[in-house]
Amino acid sequence: MAGVSAALPVVRVLVVDDDALVRAGLRLILGGDPGLVIVGEAADGLQAVELARTERPDVVLMDIRMPRLDGLAATERLLAADPETRVVVLTTFDTDDMVVSALRLGAVGFLLKDTPPEELVGAVRAVAGGRPILSPSVTAQLIATVRAESPPGRSREAAGRLEVLSEREREVAVGIGRGLSNSEIAAELYMSVATVKSHVGRLFAKLGVENRVQIAICVHEAGLV
């Protein structure tokens, strides 16, 4: 296992939160992975923008509600200066307008602060590798907003795309559409988490999508959830 960890690229992380205890907790969690290096901590949006400019982090964990400059505005400024930086919004709030606003501004992830430590570490590595990340609990809210904006006829198109799926793949897709995690889907369908992950990989390939949110949107548009 040590060889595997050594082979992984080091990810530079900037932690942004106005709560010192939250920053300390994130530092403790992320510091346990030798492949993650915290290059700075910011207590507000303005400080975050300044540190991002000097430290050039790969990933920024960004709180939403902060003094001087909130997380959404900070995300916009930060990405305007360096579009390659990957911002993950980390918050206790999961309202749909925040989710959509953060993603439209260029954030590549949206996680709740009660995300388990191992999932948080995995999310940081995932976004550093180019994969968008959304907490399952906020997926449904994003989908509802997107569906409201979908043009007529999209339902038939989505249903047609899902016809290539096997029965088991369709069940996994519906689970994703309901906002379930891989472990929750595995428990419901009586299969291992590894098997669920294999099905998810095939869903990406068959549906031509890049992340779980796109699968969930397709399932919702097809009327399966």
Side-chain angles (χ1 to χ4, degrees):
M1 290 300 291
V4 174
S5 297
L8 291 174
V10 172
V11 179
R12 296 168 57 81
V13 183
L14 173 61
V15 174
V16 185
D17 198 292
D18 64 337
D19 189 327
L21 289 177
V22 171
R23 295 199 305 274
L26 292 173
R27 184 170 61 247
L28 181 63
I29 292 170
L30 300 178
D33 189 312
L36 303 181
V37 176
I38 297 179
V39 297
E41 297 179 23
D44 59 59
L46 285 179
Q47 189 179 12
V49 173
E50 294 168 1
L51 282 174
R53 184 181 299 112
T54 59
E55 300 299 332
R56 304 299 297 272
D58 300 306
V59 177
V60 177
L61 291 181
M62 182 77 75
D63 188 21
I64 287 282
R65 299 187 178 179
M66 297 182 293
R68 296 210 298 168
L69 190 71
D70 66 31
L72 296 180
T75 294
E76 185 173 22
R77 291 192 192 183
L78 190 155
L79 293 178
D82 185 0
E84 296 303 314
T85 305
R86 300 184 181 279
V87 177
V88 177
V89 174
L90 189 62
T91 181
T92 53
F93 304 97
D94 60 352
T95 55
D96 56 354
D97 60 329
M98 288 185 176
V99 177
V100 175
S101 295
L103 296 176
R104 283 177 174 167
L105 287 172
V108 295
F110 196 107
L111 297 173
L112 299 184
K113 289 184 179 178
D114 61 0
T115 299
E118 64 276 10
E119 290 185 21
L120 179 59
V121 170
V124 171
R125 282 214 162 274
V127 297
R131 283 200 298 117
I133 291 293
L134 280 182
S135 173
S137 62
V138 303
T139 298
Q141 296 172 337
L142 175 61
I143 290 167
T145 302
V146 174
R147 283 192 67 191
E149 300 174 352
S150 297
R154 185 64 63 82
S155 178
R156 289 192 303 274
E157 178 186 339
R161 292 175 64 193
L162 295 175
E163 289 180 356
V164 301
L165 304 182
S166 68
E167 181 179 353
R168 221 36 169 165
E169 289 166 349
R170 183 181 293 259
E171 290 174 338
V172 172
V174 169
I176 292 174
R178 290 168 52 206
L180 302 181
S181 65
N182 285 347
S183 59
E184 291 170 332
I185 294 173
E188 281 203 1
L189 299 181
Y190 302 101
M191 61 175 68
S192 69
V193 174
T195 300
V196 173
K197 289 181 178 179
S198 295
H199 283 309
V200 173
R202 285 194 287 274
L203 289 173
F204 283 1
K206 288 187 175 183
L207 298 177
V209 299
E210 299 179 353
N211 57 66
R212 297 169 71 94
V213 176
Q214 291 172 322
I215 294 174
I217 289 173
C218 185
V219 169
H220 276 259
E221 288 181 335
L224 297 184
V225 175

